[in-house]
């Protein structure tokens, strides 16, 4: 049984937790302020979603990370080597309330995230749709809502693709991070916030 962790309980982290719970999939969610601050979310999504520590969430087989950009280094500091486990990078290099793009010095945001999770197999996914749309029925428009993903490890992408399918979405592989990460990065990419639907 594949275990799932969520680091970050903002809009995207909470949306991912709700999608998992809707599909009867268990996960541990954590934030920097401690499990007690997630009690209401865990109660809402019980019994599937439990609140825990960042360390506990980081031990899962697949860990989605969705943390405010400036807080990523501190949120991931001190964690042990990821030893080939999968990290889903759902982050965008921008923050409320100003939504000023972070200076990435010409790098892709996922490349920076990968440097913060040594030993992980990183897949970019779940970042290009607004949380309110992400949590809606993926079959609402008569097809399947599309979720893009990209990564440099084919087996990791296959596992994330299987999870995307299990959650009712149509996964579309955009290739390596150098291609897909650029297309879905917000701001700058051409695909974020567009609601694509795949019809059979």
């Amino acid at each position: 049984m594949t275990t799932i962790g969520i680091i970050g309980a903002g809009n995207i982290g909470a949306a991912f937790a709700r999608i998992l719970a809707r599909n009867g999939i268990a996960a541990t969610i954590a934030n920097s302020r401690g499990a007690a601050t997630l009690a209401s979310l865990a109660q809402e999504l019980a019994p599937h979603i439990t609140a825990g520590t960042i360390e506990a969430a980081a031990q899962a087989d697949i860990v989605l990370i969705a943390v405010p950009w400036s807080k990523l280094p501190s949120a991931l500091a001190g964690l042990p080597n990821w030893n080939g486990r999968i990290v889903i990078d759902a982050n965008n290099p921008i923050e409320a309330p100003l939504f000023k793009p972070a200076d990435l010095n010409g790098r892709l945001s996922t490349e920076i995230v990968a440097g913060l999770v040594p030993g992980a197999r990183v897949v970019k996914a779940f970042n290009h749709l607004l949380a309110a749309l992400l949590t809606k029925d993926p079959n609402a428009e008569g097809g399947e809502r599309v979720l893009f993903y990209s990564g440099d490890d084919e087996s990791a992408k296959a596992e994330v693709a299987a999870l995307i399918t299990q959650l009712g979405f149509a996964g579309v592989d955009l290739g390596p991070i150098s291609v897909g990460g650029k297309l879905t990065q917000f701001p700058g990419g051409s695909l974020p916030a567009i609601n694509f639907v795949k019809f059979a």
Side-chain angles (χ1 to χ4, degrees), residues 25-103:
I25 299 172
T28 299
I29 190 167
N31 64 10
S32 61
R33 292 168 293 155
T37 64
L38 299 173
S40 61
L41 180 65
Q43 184 176 16
E44 173 197 341
L45 302 179
H48 306 295
I49 306 300
T50 56
T53 64
I54 287 178
E55 290 77 13
Q59 289 301 310
D61 300 316
I62 298 176
V63 182
L64 179 129
I65 300 174
V67 174
W69 186 255
S70 64
K71 297 179 180 177
L72 268 170
S74 59
L76 301 174
L79 295 174
N81 187 286
W82 291 76
N83 291 322
R85 286 175 292 112
I86 296 171
V87 163
I88 298 176
D89 171 25
N91 302 281
N92 285 311
I94 198 165
E95 284 183 37
L98 299 179
F99 294 105
K100 180 182 178 183
D103 184 1

Side-chain angles (χ1 to χ4, degrees), residues 141-177:
E141 282 86 11
E144 293 178 326
R145 184 163 292 119
V146 169
L147 284 184
F148 298 109
Y149 62 94
S150 58
D152 299 332
D153 185 291
E154 292 301 324
S155 62
K157 282 200 297 183
E159 288 195 50
V160 173
L163 176 61
I164 287 171
T165 299
Q166 188 178 357
L167 297 176
F169 294 89
V172 174
D173 184 355
L174 296 180
I177 294 295

Side-chain angles (χ1 to χ4, degrees), residues 111-130:
E111 294 173 338
I112 294 172
V113 171
L116 298 173
V117 287
R121 296 180 293 154
V122 178
V123 177
K124 184 73 170 181
F126 293 95
N127 72 297
H128 65 88
L129 289 180
L130 298 174

